[in-house]
Amino acid sequence: MRRFAFLFSIPFLCLCALDPSHAHAKEIRIGLITPLSGDVKTFGESVRNSFMIAVDEANAKGGVAGMRIVPVIQDDKNDPTEAANVANLLVNQYRVSAIVGSVTSKASIPVSDVIQAAKIPTISPTATNPKVTVADGKRKDYMFRGCFIDPFQGTVMAKFSRETLGKRRAAVLYDASNDYSKGIAEVFRDVFRKLGGNVVAFESYGKDDVDFSALLTKVRASQPDVLFLPDYYNKVGLIAKQAREQGLKVQLIGPDGWDSPDLVKVAGSAIEGGYFSNHYSPEDKRPEVVAWVRKYREKFGQVPDALGTLAYDGTNLLFDAIRKAGSDDPRKIRDALASIKGFRGVTGKATLDGNGDMIKSAAILRIVAGKQKFVEMVHP
Ligand code: PHE
């Protein structure tokens, strides 16, 4: 009965209180917004899995601040309109006290506007675009994130290309309709130039495009020695494959959006040797990482990606804030979240800055023999 309580109405929840086995158990509803279908499904699944590990662990210890956590999970399909709809549903119908989500910046920006108006504290574990927490220079004070932001990530990859790989001529292809893709493309372009590099092609495509041959012909004519692809794995895989089919041989690099086992499935060997920035590496030997990889593997039979790992940390950070607030009152939870310092998670130690963003290190990974290999850590 308890398991389905959140699916029905509040009176139904109250009936549960009559069950003598948890006569005094208070409940707190926590929403999760994640893309369980659509073009970044692997992101959504690992976030859901990891969120549920954190919820189950907390409930097994008696809940947080004496309250049993009732998760309410919604699929945003990585679609901005759908994301706003499910955020409204969580806020108005399920009356959650706090939300974890969404996963991509594209979905998290509309979510942030809904939760800010409703004053429901929300943490996106993974969305890196600056607009998630700030609009027109103004901080959305109910919105937080558990990861670094794209100005840092774009800088890391531009420097890596220029200084570590010694590249001189960069081409960039990005999705003009996706804030994440466009934002990081611009940072990369500006930093690469500042470091003395040439940006020989800077071209965009639309969100539904599947044929990149014309763009790739342009890219090829510009004779780049590095091609930056700031998008999610399905698009990147397609572009990489078509580039290879055209005989374009150039070093590929990208941001965290590459982090999916499906990247290699779509791109095949065309993505081999590509470098990308990410939030953690499962090869990290710190005991927290080793324990986490073991735990996730036992439950889900695979190595956790960065998204899942950030989701586990972000959910636990929210639980810490609820403990500190000692309440299910959204305003008190917000204040507690804003005051957290030096939280220790699997992805490392982190403090939220004044914008609700996190200062954290980036990991550079490389696709070698179809697998992600750790290259180096870059500290802020
Ligand atoms: N940073 C991406 C975004 O904002 C989401 C993402 C995080 C993808 C981590 C992969 C790994 O859209």
Side-chain angles (χ1 to χ4, degrees):
M1 184 158 98
R2 272 187 307 164
R3 217 153 64 90
F4 295 110
F6 66 88
L7 290 175
F8 302 108
S9 59
I10 294 178
F12 193 87
L13 282 175
C14 298
L15 278 181
C16 299
L18 300 176
D19 176 350
S21 63
H22 51 285
H24 301 292
K26 202 180 160 197
E27 293 182 331
I28 178 168
R29 265 163 286 162
I30 305 293
L32 173 71
I33 304 177
T34 189
L36 293 170
S37 55
D39 63 343
V40 296
K41 193 164 159 288
T42 70
F43 290 177
E45 288 167 347
S46 51
V47 166
R48 180 209 42 211
N49 292 348
S50 308
F51 169 82
M52 283 312 300
I53 291 179
V55 169
D56 289 344
E57 283 177 352
N59 279 340
K61 286 189 199 136
V64 284
M67 298 176 286
R68 189 179 161 276
I69 296 149
V70 178
V72 190
I73 301 177
Q74 296 290 325
D75 176 13
D76 69 21
K77 308 182 170 75
N78 193 31
D79 176 80
T81 310
E82 199 61 36
N85 289 345
V86 296
N88 270 308
L89 199 71
L90 287 176
V91 166
N92 298 319
Q93 191 166 325
Y94 293 111
R95 304 208 161 273
V96 296
S97 290
I99 296 173
V100 175
S102 183
V103 174
T104 65
S105 296
K106 193 175 156 181
S108 300
I109 295 168
V111 166
S112 70
D113 294 328
V114 172
I115 65 86
Q116 180 63 25
K119 296 196 183 305
I120 296 298
T122 297
I123 179 163
S124 166
T126 47
T128 45
N129 186 279
K131 290 184 205 164
V132 171
T133 51
V134 177
D136 302 321
K138 205 169 165 273
R139 161 97 176 96
K140 299 175 212 174
D141 63 344
Y142 274 77
M143 191 71 202
F144 300 85
R145 82 175 98 217
C147 51
F148 55 63
I149 57 176
D150 289 335
F152 172 65
Q153 181 172 209
T155 302
V156 165
M157 288 323 274
K159 273 196 159 155
F160 182 76
S161 306
R162 223 10 237 126
E163 292 170 355
T164 310
L165 302 178
K167 301 297 180 189
R168 297 161 194 277
R169 300 171 63 83
V172 181
L173 288 180
Y174 66 97
D175 176 351
S177 73
N178 178 341
D179 282 313
Y180 161 75
S181 182
K182 181 164 181 277
I184 197 161
E186 289 168 351
V187 174
F188 179 90
R189 176 197 60 197
D190 296 346
V191 178
F192 194 81
R193 275 192 187 140
K194 228 172 52 206
L195 296 173
N198 243 322
V199 178
V200 293
F202 190 76
E203 301 286 338
S204 70
Y205 48 84
K207 78 174 182 7
D208 299 319
D209 290 1
V210 287
D211 179 0
F212 301 94
S213 48
L215 278 182
L216 287 166
T217 303
K218 266 196 191 169
V219 166
R220 195 172 169 185
S222 71
Q223 297 184 307
D225 53 12
V226 61
L227 172 56
F228 185 54
L229 298 175
D231 206 337
Y232 307 130
Y233 61 89
N234 266 310
K235 270 279 150 66
V236 172
L238 262 184
I239 297 173
K241 212 171 136 192
Q242 293 180 19
R244 172 60 65 90
E245 281 160 10
Q246 281 210 10
L248 178 63
K249 281 216 172 81
V250 60
Q251 174 66 56
L252 300 179
I253 56 159
D256 56 355
W258 286 29
D259 186 17
S260 170
D262 282 7
L263 175 63
V264 173
K265 287 191 195 150
V266 179
S269 62
I271 202 74
E272 188 63 18
Y275 290 99
F276 70 104
S277 47
N278 209 354
H279 305 260
Y280 113 115
S281 165
E283 291 175 59
D284 194 326
K285 292 286 169 272
R286 280 184 301 121
E288 302 91 296
V289 178
V290 174
W292 162 247
V293 171
R294 185 181 312 124
K295 185 157 51 187
Y296 190 96
R297 220 191 203 141
E298 268 165 20
K299 243 188 145 147
F300 298 104
Q302 72 195 78
V303 174
D305 58 16
L307 296 122
T309 310
L310 286 172
Y312 181 69
D313 281 354
T315 307
N316 280 326
L317 176 74
L318 173 64
F319 293 166
D320 258 18
I322 297 170
R323 272 181 211 111
K324 204 167 165 191
S327 161
D328 62 357
D329 177 353
R331 193 182 54 79
K332 290 190 181 141
I333 297 171
R334 188 227 84 94
D335 291 347
L337 254 179
S339 73
I340 283 183
K341 296 225 157 42
F343 173 80
R344 271 181 190 283
V346 178
T347 53
K349 198 174 150 202
T351 294
L352 287 158
D353 71 10
N355 279 337
D357 299 333
M358 263 182 189
I359 317 287
K360 278 177 136 176
S361 304
I364 295 181
L365 308 180
R366 186 173 202 196
I367 315 280
V368 180
K371 298 244 164 1
Q372 298 183 0
K373 281 273 151 227
F374 176 70
V375 177
E376 64 179 40
M377 286 308 289
V378 183
H379 304 292

